[in-house]
Amino acid sequence: MIHQCAVIAYGFRYYYMPGLKHILSTFTLIPHRHRCSYLPSPSLVSLSSSFHLPNPDNLSRFLTGNLTGNCPFFKMERSWSGSGVNKNKAMVEHLQHYGVITSKKVSEVMETIDRACFVPDGTPPYVDSPMAIGYNATISAPHMHATCLQLLEENLKPGMHALDIGSGTGYLTACFALMVGPQGRAVGVEHIPELVVSSIQNIEKSAAAPLLKEGSLSVHVGDGRKGWPEFAPYDAIHVGAAAPEIPQALIDQLKPGGRMVIPVGNIFQDLKVVDKNQDGSLSIWSETSVRYVPLTSRDAQLRGW
């Protein structure tokens, strides 16, 4: 059985075999619901001459997913990209193999929406890593998309309304649209106009194109912190950037019985799951530790925060 751990590294989650358990003994355990997440100890320097982890001076590079050296996690990552993972279906099968995807519905949707339609030209689309898309923005790694889709699956049934904040290249918005179907509504909100234009072009090349044409899928220019009231309330809300706190506008636009998935924090971030109860009260829990770009204004993002 494959054990699962999350390493804070720009939204990466790594899945390791039991044989690697001793390596993780130097990480600090932070309990989370369903999964165990590990953060590097502040005093961590290295384990051996062949396996180096970041010292405190390099911690910021580690947190942004730029760890180098002979780390077995990254060896696993490189083996994915160098061993025939060149098709969308194969990418999904790898995520299933490593225990990332357990839902049949999520695997079907991710196989149907080809990630290659949503990454910049010249970028390897099927590597399990976030990719820069310009304007100081990224498209999340496939395992993070899978994680969020599974967390929201019960709130993405046919006929439901879904909101994708920081929709970027449009990938997850297209997945939402496929899940809620033509009787539902999938809405993407992105504050970079150029990304909205290109995301619509991406969707037009994907299996979600008919839903875009029919109008049940739409992408809008706007400040995601304010949500998109026009089609509220939403059964599902996904936020693709880290907020210092959960925006009240998004809570207000979440339907009773609905669920929001949002990374919260600054340097240290948790992927929060927010359930709105029928009486309007909230149940909030942390799924795992993550690292996302900040949820901020358009000008701040373009300046590099």
Side-chain angles (χ1 to χ4, degrees), residues 235-256:
D235 300 275
I237 298 178
H238 166 265
V239 182
E245 58 186 22
I246 302 171
Q248 185 61 45
L250 299 184
I251 294 173
D252 293 342
Q253 292 173 37
L254 187 63
K255 184 179 180 179

Side-chain angles (χ1 to χ4, degrees), residues 15-33:
Y15 294 78
Y16 67 101
M17 299 301 291
L20 296 179
K21 187 175 181 180
H22 68 284
I23 292 173
L24 294 170
S25 64
T26 57
F27 282 76
T28 302
L29 178 63
I30 295 181
H32 284 287
R33 184 168 176 173

Side-chain angles (χ1 to χ4, degrees), residues 144-215:
M144 287 307 302
H145 284 149
T147 297
C148 292
L149 286 170
Q150 291 195 149
L151 287 170
L152 292 169
E153 182 177 3
E154 293 303 309
N155 298 86
L156 291 169
K157 292 182 177 179
M160 291 184 170
H161 284 207
L163 176 63
D164 185 20
I165 298 297
S167 50
T169 66
Y171 175 82
L172 209 56
T173 317
C175 291
F176 288 171
L178 222 61
M179 294 179 79
V180 301
Q183 302 306 314
R185 186 84 203 196
V187 180
V189 176
E190 170 59 55
H191 60 191
I192 305 295
E194 294 85 351
L195 287 178
V196 171
V197 172
S198 61
S199 69
I200 291 172
Q201 294 170 346
N202 295 339
I203 293 169
E204 288 173 340
K205 296 182 291 185
S206 77
L211 299 170
L212 181 69
K213 185 177 181 180
E214 294 165 6

Side-chain angles (χ1 to χ4, degrees), residues 18-289:
L20 296 179
K21 187 175 181 180
H22 68 284
I23 292 173
L24 294 170
S25 64
T26 57
F27 282 76
T28 302
L29 178 63
I30 295 181
H32 284 287
R33 184 168 176 173
H34 303 313
R35 294 183 176 84
C36 59
S37 300
Y38 292 82
L39 301 181
S41 166
S43 61
L44 186 59
V45 191
S46 67
L47 295 176
S48 70
S49 60
S50 62
F51 176 62
H52 297 285
L53 284 172
N55 59 35
D57 294 335
N58 292 328
L59 185 57
S60 62
R61 288 172 61 246
F62 180 72
L63 291 176
T64 54
N66 293 321
L67 178 64
T68 59
N70 296 319
C71 174
F73 300 123
F74 283 82
K75 284 183 178 179
M76 184 177 293
E77 190 71 42
R78 285 195 295 268
S79 73
W80 281 28
S81 61
S83 60
V85 187
N86 57 0
K87 293 185 178 180
N88 199 64
K89 190 174 189 298
M91 178 194 75
V92 175
E93 289 172 349
H94 274 282
L95 293 173
Q96 290 175 304
H97 176 74
Y98 284 100
V100 185
I101 296 177
T102 57
S103 161
K104 181 180 179 182
K105 181 63 176 179
V106 169
S107 65
E108 289 173 350
V109 168
M110 289 186 68
E111 285 180 8
T112 302
I113 300 296
D114 190 347
R115 185 175 163 88
C117 297
F118 296 89
V119 300
D121 291 341
T123 302
Y126 307 120
V127 176
D128 190 28
S129 170
M131 304 287 181
I133 59 174
Y135 310 97
N136 290 318
T138 62
I139 178 174
S140 294
H143 73 264
M144 287 307 302
H145 284 149
T147 297
C148 292
L149 286 170
Q150 291 195 149
L151 287 170
L152 292 169
E153 182 177 3
E154 293 303 309
N155 298 86
L156 291 169
K157 292 182 177 179
M160 291 184 170
H161 284 207
L163 176 63
D164 185 20
I165 298 297
S167 50
T169 66
Y171 175 82
L172 209 56
T173 317
C175 291
F176 288 171
L178 222 61
M179 294 179 79
V180 301
Q183 302 306 314
R185 186 84 203 196
V187 180
V189 176
E190 170 59 55
H191 60 191
I192 305 295
E194 294 85 351
L195 287 178
V196 171
V197 172
S198 61
S199 69
I200 291 172
Q201 294 170 346
N202 295 339
I203 293 169
E204 288 173 340
K205 296 182 291 185
S206 77
L211 299 170
L212 181 69
K213 185 177 181 180
E214 294 165 6
S216 61
L217 164 58
S218 59
V219 185
H220 308 270
V221 178
D223 186 339
R225 296 170 296 183
K226 300 177 182 179
W228 196 259
E230 181 181 356
F231 301 110
Y234 297 97
D235 300 275
I237 298 178
H238 166 265
V239 182
E245 58 186 22
I246 302 171
Q248 185 61 45
L250 299 184
I251 294 173
D252 293 342
Q253 292 173 37
L254 187 63
K255 184 179 180 179
R259 170 172 286 188
M260 177 181 355
V261 174
I262 176 172
V264 177
N266 294 306
I267 294 177
F268 296 99
Q269 303 167 1
D270 284 333
L271 187 67
K272 298 288 187 180
V273 179
V274 182
D275 290 327
K276 180 178 276 192
N277 303 313
Q278 292 297 331
D279 63 2
S281 63
L282 302 177
S283 299
I284 304 174
W285 49 275
S286 295
E287 167 67 10
T288 189
S289 297

